[in-house]
Amino acid sequence: MKINKNIKLSKFTSYKIGGPADYLTIVETEAELIDAIKFASKKNIPWVVLGKGSNVLVSDNGFSGLTIINKLCSFKILEDKLTIGSGYSLVAMVNKLARDGFSGFEGLCGIPGTVGAAIVGSAGAWGYEISDNLISIRVYDIKNKKVKNIKKNKIKFEYRKSNLENIIILSANFNLQKNDIEKIQEKIKLFIKKRIEKQPIGFSCGSFFKNPEGYSAGELIDKCGLKGLKIGGAIVSEKHGNFIINSDGAKAKDIIDISKIIKNKVKKEFKIVLEEEIKYIGF
């Protein structure tokens, strides 16, 4: 395990924003990941695990601790079961399964990030959820310092969140179902087309706010007249109000300032408090 010092986290996030991490390591095995946590424990410093960095905003001041970049990318199919590393790209997983004729994951095709992060965040789209075909997960229990398995029925999945706390997902097991490859590919093309039509291009974290029950966050923001709002290098997308884009070297502060204006305006106009879908690091 190699420990690097003062590495800019902007290189590891989809926002391309973030100051330096005091320490950073890239792990490719379960042992390396556990060793990284032990390293942080010995130094008595905080730590955080990043996959693709697609659902986070890192402070301009960086992170005063150890950042662990998860590259646990094992992939094994045995009959009708898949065992996959938590650091495997969700997009790559869906595409690979589609090429091999396995269905049930098509709607997840355009969701950025890793398999582990998708499970923790209860990712889903177009009526598909990451939990649909999940059997179990293999995790590192931070509190008890041991590796264990957790079955799906012990996990509480809610809208874009789960009860998976004080653990790190190492790998996951999924049920697989064979289907016609052409039909699978057609579905994926349709969902990708819909994403392109609705979602803007540019550096972002995807949807910034969760959809309040019965509402679309993007529509609420649009009705408040906030599309196109610009602060520093950050702008509310003209195409989709729930996307705050790093359009021109934005700082984390620019994103935060825009998000505060959005929350205040929506609360004032609709009496609805928007909740961030992203996670903040280093604030």
Side-chain angles (χ1 to χ4, degrees), residues 30 46 88 212 218 246:
E30 292 183 4
Y88 205 98
N246 173 5

Side-chain angles (χ1 to χ4, degrees), residues 163-233:
N163 65 339
L164 293 170
E165 298 177 349
N166 297 316
I167 60 96
I168 300 174
I169 298 179
L170 303 172
S171 63
N173 297 301
F174 292 94
N175 280 312
L176 298 178
Q177 184 176 350
K178 275 285 189 179
N179 210 326
D180 183 80
I181 293 178
E182 287 188 9
K183 289 182 179 179
I184 296 170
Q185 295 286 8
E186 284 176 7
K187 279 188 178 181
I188 289 176
K189 287 178 182 178
L190 175 62
F191 293 138
I192 291 295
K193 181 183 177 183
K194 287 182 177 180
R195 278 189 177 273
I196 292 172
E197 289 172 350
K198 290 187 174 183
Q199 298 182 359
I201 297 172
F203 299 132
S204 76
C205 65
S207 295
F208 198 92
F209 297 103
K210 296 178 182 179
N211 289 323
E213 188 173 355
Y215 297 89
S216 159
E219 289 180 5
L220 293 174
I221 294 166
D222 186 13
K223 288 177 180 178
C224 287
L226 294 174
K227 281 185 176 179
L229 173 66
K230 192 174 190 300
I231 295 179

Side-chain angles (χ1 to χ4, degrees), residues 30-245:
E30 292 183 4
E32 287 179 345
L33 195 153
I34 294 169
D35 284 345
I37 295 171
K38 290 179 179 178
F39 169 86
S41 179
K42 285 181 181 179
K43 282 196 165 289
N44 195 29
I45 57 175
W47 53 269
V48 65
V49 177
L50 286 183
K52 294 287 186 180
S54 59
N55 205 31
V56 299
L57 179 65
V58 179
S59 167
D60 297 319
N61 295 321
F63 180 65
S64 298
L66 172 66
T67 299
I68 304 168
I69 306 299
N70 181 1
K71 295 290 184 182
L72 275 63
C73 294
S74 59
F75 187 101
K76 184 178 180 180
I77 293 177
L78 184 61
E79 296 181 351
D80 60 347
K81 301 289 188 294
L82 166 67
T83 300
I84 188 168
S86 59
Y88 205 98
S89 161
L90 183 61
V91 170
M93 180 192 88
V94 174
N95 289 337
K96 184 172 176 59
L97 290 176
R99 289 194 298 270
D100 291 339
F102 294 108
S103 65
F105 302 87
E106 293 91 322
L108 308 176
C109 59
I111 299 176
T114 60
V115 172
I119 293 171
V120 171
S122 190
W126 315 114
Y128 291 75
E129 301 291 334
I130 188 70
S131 59
D132 289 345
N133 300 291
L134 184 67
I135 302 170
S136 64
I137 54 176
R138 177 177 167 86
V139 307
Y140 179 69
D141 184 327
I142 299 164
K143 183 179 179 180
N144 296 307
K145 299 180 181 179
K146 66 178 184 179
V147 175
K148 66 180 184 180
N149 294 313
I150 301 177
K151 292 183 178 180
K152 176 183 173 179
N153 62 7
K154 298 296 183 181
I155 305 172
K156 184 179 179 181
F157 288 105
E158 298 181 59
Y159 174 64
R160 303 302 166 257
K161 66 179 181 180
S162 68
N163 65 339
L164 293 170
E165 298 177 349
N166 297 316
I167 60 96
I168 300 174
I169 298 179
L170 303 172
S171 63
N173 297 301
F174 292 94
N175 280 312
L176 298 178
Q177 184 176 350
K178 275 285 189 179
N179 210 326
D180 183 80
I181 293 178
E182 287 188 9
K183 289 182 179 179
I184 296 170
Q185 295 286 8
E186 284 176 7
K187 279 188 178 181
I188 289 176
K189 287 178 182 178
L190 175 62
F191 293 138
I192 291 295
K193 181 183 177 183
K194 287 182 177 180
R195 278 189 177 273
I196 292 172
E197 289 172 350
K198 290 187 174 183
Q199 298 182 359
I201 297 172
F203 299 132
S204 76
C205 65
S207 295
F208 198 92
F209 297 103
K210 296 178 182 179
N211 289 323
E213 188 173 355
Y215 297 89
S216 159
E219 289 180 5
L220 293 174
I221 294 166
D222 186 13
K223 288 177 180 178
C224 287
L226 294 174
K227 281 185 176 179
L229 173 66
K230 192 174 190 300
I231 295 179
I235 187 170
V236 178
S237 169
E238 294 276 9
K239 192 171 187 178
H240 194 307
N242 202 17
F243 280 68
I244 303 175
I245 308 295

